[in-house]
Structures are given as C-alpha cells and as structure tokens.
Amino acid sequence: MTMTHPLDRAVWNALTTRQASLAIREGGVLRFDGDYALFAAATPEATYADWVALARTTGPVALFEVDPVVPDGLVVTNRIDCQQMVCEALTAGGREVDFEPLTDADGPEMLALATLTQPGPFFSKTHLLGPFIGLRHESRLIAMAGERLSLDGFSEVSGVCTHPDHRGKGYAGALMRVVTQRILERGDTAFLHARIAHDATIAFYETLGFKRRTTPSYLVMASA
C-alpha cells in the first residue's frame, strides 16, 4: 500500500520530525527508547538484521501503522487493531474541572494509574513524550490526559484514563477537551487511537468532535 497521509505512518513521521531527538536508529529502522514506547518504523530497505540488532539492543519493538508488514524472521506476539480518529474542531459543551499540569515528579503516579486502567501502552517515560494534565482527589491522582506522538501538523491525544472509583463524572471528557483545545490552538490537527472493538469509546470520542479516519494496527514483534 502506498502511504500518502502523514498519519498512515505516524511513528515514522514523528521520529523523523518533531521527535527526532528521541530516535534510536539501527540501519533502516528507527524506534523510541523502550522506556518511552515500543514504537518502531522502517524504510523499505531495512533488513531483518537491522530489526534483530535493534531488538537485541533495546528490547521488544512494535509497528503501529496502516497495513503493517511484518519483517521476515520476526513473529507477532501481540496485536491491537485500532481506530484512528482526527479532530479539527471540538464540539460545544462539556464540563470544566480543576486540573493541574503533571510533571516528571508525577511519573510514578501516572504509570500506576495507567497500569490500573490500561488506556494503552504506557511505560516509565511515556509521560515525557508530551504535556500531561491531571485531576486529583484528596491528593491522589484520579484522572489524566496528555500527548504522545507529535509530527509536523499533528499531535496525538493519549493516556486518557480515570480511576475506576471516579468514573462516570465526565473527567475524561473534560481533560480531553483541554488537551485537544491546546493542540488546535497551536495550529495542529488532534488525533487519537482507540481499540477498534471499543464501540462505546469511539462513539464517545465522536461526541467531542473526533472523526474516524483509518484503522492502523499495533504489532509487538520478537525474533522467531
């Protein structure tokens, strides 16, 4: 498949533009440090040896793009099919919440909340890929949202989650609106990903103004 839209290969375009400083390269393959994300992407000329060398040095790697092609000699150990959505304008409405910016000092709490709620792959430094905001109750972090992939013209809303004891209060939507609005005010298009089987989640994002675009897959790979 010929890729024509930047978001079809968002990882490659992030690692070769705004997030190039985070790129680790082995031959024709680029990836994030595994503490940030497992995401990797490659040129058509990349070889199996490039992939294996990178995986041996940095740990498991994952493709995340439209119609990913698994390199010869690698096997898929986990697959998540996703719905990619974009937003150029938020819908009106939504509640306001008393949020705060989150910093590196909040990293352990953010990782704990993400581990509990499973909003998507989240590692010890994922929170450093972009700005995050959060909501606290009795000093405990109970909800958060932030940014992950960033490429020319596009920024990803990610890490959206709420502690199970505080769901149903509109916190996720309120934080998402803040993050998305900030992206739009910078002149970017906001985008995000949801598991393709999560119809209710996708429908909720549509109420905020996100529209379905395409269906990339997240493939974690290892040596055969």
Side-chain angles (χ1 to χ4, degrees), residues 80-113:
I80 303 174
D81 294 320
C82 297
Q83 177 67 61
Q84 185 184 90
M85 307 179 75
V86 296
C87 178
E88 296 181 346
L90 284 164
T91 57
R95 65 168 298 179
E96 295 184 359
V97 294
D98 187 17
F99 66 88
E100 63 182 58
L102 299 176
T103 70
D104 193 23
D106 301 304
E109 271 193 286
M110 298 169 73
L111 179 60
L113 182 60

Side-chain angles (χ1 to χ4, degrees), residues 28-158:
V29 184
L30 294 175
R31 72 159 296 166
F32 286 96
D33 181 293
D35 289 336
Y36 291 85
L38 300 186
F39 298 141
T43 66
E45 295 74 31
T47 66
Y48 167 65
D50 294 340
W51 284 100
V52 170
L54 193 70
R56 286 176 178 169
T57 302
T58 64
V61 292
L63 284 171
F64 190 29
E65 53 192 52
V66 176
D67 292 340
V69 177
V70 179
D72 291 340
L74 297 184
V75 295
V76 176
T77 61
N78 187 32
R79 177 178 183 133
I80 303 174
D81 294 320
C82 297
Q83 177 67 61
Q84 185 184 90
M85 307 179 75
V86 296
C87 178
E88 296 181 346
L90 284 164
T91 57
R95 65 168 298 179
E96 295 184 359
V97 294
D98 187 17
F99 66 88
E100 63 182 58
L102 299 176
T103 70
D104 193 23
D106 301 304
E109 271 193 286
M110 298 169 73
L111 179 60
L113 182 60
T115 300
L116 173 66
T117 58
Q118 296 294 307
F122 202 98
F123 304 95
S124 62
K125 292 184 178 180
T126 301
H127 65 281
L128 298 177
L129 289 174
F132 271 77
I133 58 174
L135 179 65
R136 293 186 179 277
H137 176 72
E138 297 179 348
S139 300
R140 183 178 67 169
L141 183 66
I142 61 168
M144 67 178 186
E147 299 180 37
R148 185 172 60 180
L149 293 174
S150 182
L151 53 148
D152 289 346
F154 301 90
S155 294
E156 182 188 23
V157 180
S158 187

